[in-house]
Amino acid sequence: MATIADNLQAVRDQIARAARAMGRDAEKITLLAVSKTHPAQRVLAAVDAGQRAFGENYVQEAVRKMDAIAEARGPQIALEWHLIGPLQSNKTRAVAERFDWVQTIDREKIAARLSEQRAATRAPLNVLVQVNVSGEASKSGVAPESALALAQAVARLPRLRLRGLMTIPEPTDDVALQRSRFRRLRELLEVARAGGLALDTLSMGMSDDMEAAIAEGATMVRIGTAIFGARQTTRSMT
Ligand SMILES: *Cc1c(COP(=O)(O)O)cnc(C)c1O
């Protein structure tokens, strides 16, 4: 049976091949290992295989894992934790205190709370505006027409650092459709940059559509199943 270390290597190879096919530098693509529902023990296996950036969807579950990992490997291992699930306003304080990135900003109110609650002694919280590029099929994310205004508002918040955009398109095997959704996000990033925002991150692509995302310019892919295997839970992803 393939180990988590084997799976990680296979995913890194897949990213490198997809980048090379487009004449892109694979070093510019961050692999975010999505560990939601998987126990700390499996996250540790990925840490021991060199993985440092992890994505989690549920705040309490993530905090438990952060504590277990710090306990097991010591606080000197610097991991980067990304919240990639929807964020409710009663959870913002724990997120501002424990996470390094929040990829699911789709309301100014939540962003403002995170900014207020991020300690001045910490680096600013990195954030992405989540855009719903596939319309009504997916419920989270701001509409593409409203993304620029939200990005401009978020960029003004003092304790946040707006890094770019994120999307979760509807699942489809149609590669042309996958690419058109990802292209939409890249075009929005270009518009935001032209409008003066210094953005460097396009978070798009999961286990089943990462090639299309890399072809359209992803700088971060969020990979769960291909690293950790199938999730055991029936909990909904969004
Ligand atoms: C679960 C999840 C992923 C990982 O999906 P896989 O198909 O398992 O690679 C990526 N992004 C988000 C936002 C998720 O919720």
Side-chain angles (χ1 to χ4, degrees), residues 21-186:
M22 298 304 294
R24 296 191 54 202
D25 179 359
E27 300 284 308
K28 303 248 161 69
I29 303 168
T30 300
L31 170 57
L32 185 72
V34 175
S35 44
K36 64 165 175 265
T37 77
H38 297 290
Q41 217 41 51
R42 295 176 69 71
V43 182
L44 273 176
V47 171
D48 292 342
Q51 181 64 28
R52 292 294 176 266
F54 292 91
E56 286 279 345
N57 292 54
Y58 312 102
V59 178
Q60 273 106 332
E61 178 191 335
V63 167
R64 275 199 302 277
K65 276 182 236 181
M66 291 172 194
D67 291 343
I69 289 162
E71 180 129 322
R73 291 291 179 280
Q76 65 278 4
I77 284 208
L79 301 182
E80 194 178 274
W81 292 96
H82 295 234
L83 183 73
I84 60 172
L87 176 53
Q88 291 146 6
S89 39
N90 62 343
K91 302 270 173 63
T92 54
R93 184 169 298 280
V95 171
E97 284 172 1
R98 301 300 300 269
F99 281 80
D100 304 290
W101 289 64
V102 176
Q103 300 205 2
T104 49
I105 300 292
D106 60 5
R107 277 176 294 160
E108 191 181 345
K109 187 172 151 242
I110 295 271
R113 285 177 70 98
L114 287 169
S115 182
E116 273 161 29
Q117 293 168 341
R118 182 70 166 183
T121 50
R122 305 273 315 272
L125 183 64
N126 295 292
V127 297
L128 302 177
V129 164
Q130 180 178 356
V131 185
N132 180 356
V133 292
S134 18
E136 60 207 24
S138 142
K139 40 194 168 160
S140 301
V142 66
E145 310 77 65
S146 311
L148 186 58
L150 179 59
Q152 283 164 338
V154 170
R156 285 192 287 268
L157 293 167
R159 301 300 304 141
L160 303 187
R161 181 172 171 214
L162 179 66
R163 299 290 297 268
L165 305 177
M166 176 273 213
T167 195
I168 314 171
E170 80 273 49
T172 170
D173 294 335
D174 178 348
V175 175
L177 182 59
Q178 291 173 0
R179 286 194 57 164
S180 76
R181 300 304 194 204
F182 293 139
R183 193 175 313 127
R184 184 84 201 271
L185 196 72
R186 172 167 47 83

Side-chain angles (χ1 to χ4, degrees), residues 34 36 57 84 166 168 206-207 222-225 231 237:
V34 175
K36 64 165 175 265
N57 292 54
I84 60 172
M166 176 273 213
I168 314 171
M206 317 195 341
S207 294
R222 309 179 308 266
I223 309 297
T225 309
R231 286 180 287 275
M237 198 179 77

